[in-house]
Amino acid sequence: MRILFHIVHSPYSRRTRLALAAKGVTVELRDVRAQPEFFEESRRLSPLKTVPVLVEEDGRVIGDSTAISHYLDRAYPSTPPLWPTEPDEALAAFEVASLADVAMNTLVDIGGRYHPLRTSEAWETIRTEAVERVQRALDTLGQRAAALSRPTFSRRGWSAPDMWLFTAEHWLASLPTRVPTAPVAAQILSLGWRLPPELSRWADQHRDRPDVRALA
């Protein structure tokens, strides 16, 4: 059985699960937050020391959600591609993925990893620059989503850019509900960014998808 080491609420893990579902690839899910031994095993297997981590049946290991998705396209070519191959759609897809990553990675870094440094004199300058970068990315994503003439970024339907954007929007929108159990959520919310309503309206079209509902 293939194994996916993941974190239930992580957008990086969730988009990997959506990619696996789209490819029809089944895995055993191992939540590294629920089982300390899973956490240690995932760190031993991947030099990135992050999740998700996919372990194939023959023991091959690959980490990083984006790398996993590109691997899946090549390892399982008989299934519909996750990433569009037509130049115009590929350009839009990679832009969406990059902007989503900029927003999430920056918020995780400033609101999580580097938040203990907020007493530094340089903190406010760094925070302001970071939040401006996040907001530019989110606003551009909102514009791209609002300009679509269909629910998905690819003409053939649900694909990687949709998975990347949906999981990012869901993670950002759900942060307030997680404050009581996740202090880092409050820290991220305190940074001063806003979620464009265009993104939420776009995501609303996909919330009842069976693969999305299965993430809960």
Side-chain angles (χ1 to χ4, degrees):
M1 173 65 76
R2 300 174 195 86
I3 298 168
L4 182 71
F5 292 92
H6 76 122
I7 296 172
V8 171
H9 295 294
S10 162
Y12 308 100
S13 294
R14 284 175 163 246
R15 67 196 191 186
T16 300
R17 290 176 61 189
L18 290 174
L20 288 162
K23 283 292 190 179
V25 177
T26 58
V27 295
E28 174 190 330
L29 294 173
R30 295 188 178 179
D31 184 354
V32 303
R33 290 275 176 85
Q35 298 286 344
E37 61 269 28
F38 292 163
F39 174 73
E40 294 302 327
E41 186 177 1
S42 70
R43 290 176 65 83
R44 177 180 60 80
L45 288 169
S46 173
L48 297 174
K49 309 299 183 187
T50 60
V51 289
V53 176
L54 176 66
V55 183
E56 282 281 28
E57 293 174 307
D58 60 5
R60 288 177 296 163
V61 177
I62 183 169
D64 182 80
S65 57
T66 300
I68 291 171
S69 69
H70 285 292
Y71 163 75
L72 291 174
D73 266 348
R74 288 153 181 79
Y76 304 96
S78 62
T79 58
L82 296 167
W83 294 97
T85 55
E86 298 82 0
D88 60 331
E89 291 195 354
L91 179 66
F94 291 129
E95 181 194 41
V96 166
S98 296
L99 289 169
D101 278 348
V102 163
M104 290 193 303
N105 293 346
T106 305
L107 288 174
V108 168
D109 283 342
I110 301 299
R113 295 185 179 96
Y114 306 136
H115 198 257
L117 303 177
R118 63 191 180 280
T119 56
S120 166
E121 292 182 359
W123 174 258
E124 190 54 32
T125 298
I126 293 172
R127 185 202 65 80
T128 299
E129 292 177 353
V131 171
E132 287 177 352
R133 186 180 312 119
V134 168
Q135 200 60 59
R136 283 196 301 271
L138 292 177
D139 288 343
T140 302
L141 286 168
Q143 293 166 12
R144 299 293 186 268
L148 288 174
S149 58
R150 54 183 179 265
T152 60
F153 281 87
S154 173
R155 285 183 287 273
R156 65 174 180 78
W158 183 252
S159 62
D162 306 302
M163 300 170 198
W164 264 232
L165 185 55
F166 179 85
T167 51
E169 189 279 340
H170 177 81
W171 180 71
L172 294 169
S174 67
L175 284 172
T177 65
R178 297 178 55 211
V179 167
T181 57
V184 71
Q187 294 169 189
I188 292 173
L189 286 168
S190 72
L191 295 175
W193 53 275
R194 65 172 186 85
L195 182 61
E198 296 88 351
L199 283 185
S200 297
R201 285 195 291 270
W202 173 85
D204 286 343
Q205 304 171 89
H206 304 291
R207 299 195 199 280
D208 286 331
R209 288 181 53 89
D211 52 350
V212 167
R213 293 176 65 87
L215 296 175

